[in-house]
Structure formats: C-alpha cells, structure tokens
Amino acid sequence: MSAILTRRTRLRQAEFGAEGRAGFCLMGACQDCWIWQEDGPRLRACSTPLRDGMRLLSAPAGG
C-alpha cells in the first residue's frame, strides 16, 4: 500500500461515492485497501507484500 501511495493520492474510488479510499485500519480488517490483480483476484494492499512483476488495478478488470 505504501508503494502505491508514494505515487498516487488514493488506492481506489469508493464503491458508493466519488471519494477516494487509501486504507483505514492498516491491519487487514476493513475493505478500504482492496485492490485487484490484473488477472482478477482482489487483495488487501495493507498486508500484501509487493512482488516483482505484480500487475495491480485500482478497480476490478472490466469494472
């Protein structure tokens, strides 16, 4: 999450409004840091280590 937020002001847009989400609890208990892998599965940016070659999206593919 911190790697993404060094380049962007938010991780993703809220589901039900225009505000941005950038993490809340920082321990994997909420949904504020959900991002998606290019191949579909979502993950928690706050608790998922960044790996070389990861392709991440701020919204589900096709969404």
Side-chain angles (χ1 to χ4, degrees), residues 1 26-29 33 43-50:
M1 183 171 77
L26 305 179
M27 62 181 193
C33 69
L43 52 83
R44 294 183 188 279
C46 72
S47 58
T48 303
L50 193 61

Side-chain angles (χ1 to χ4, degrees), residues 11-12 15 30-36 42-45:
L11 293 171
R12 62 183 182 89
E15 293 88 354
C30 73
Q31 299 83 31
D32 262 20
C33 69
W34 279 348
I35 57 174
W36 290 261
R42 71 178 176 211
L43 52 83
R44 294 183 188 279

Side-chain angles (χ1 to χ4, degrees), residues 4-29:
I4 295 169
L5 292 175
T6 62
R7 299 288 184 175
R8 299 179 56 155
T9 59
R10 62 186 185 181
L11 293 171
R12 62 183 182 89
Q13 185 171 331
E15 293 88 354
F16 306 108
E19 63 273 354
R21 312 309 288 172
F24 178 73
C25 74
L26 305 179
M27 62 181 193

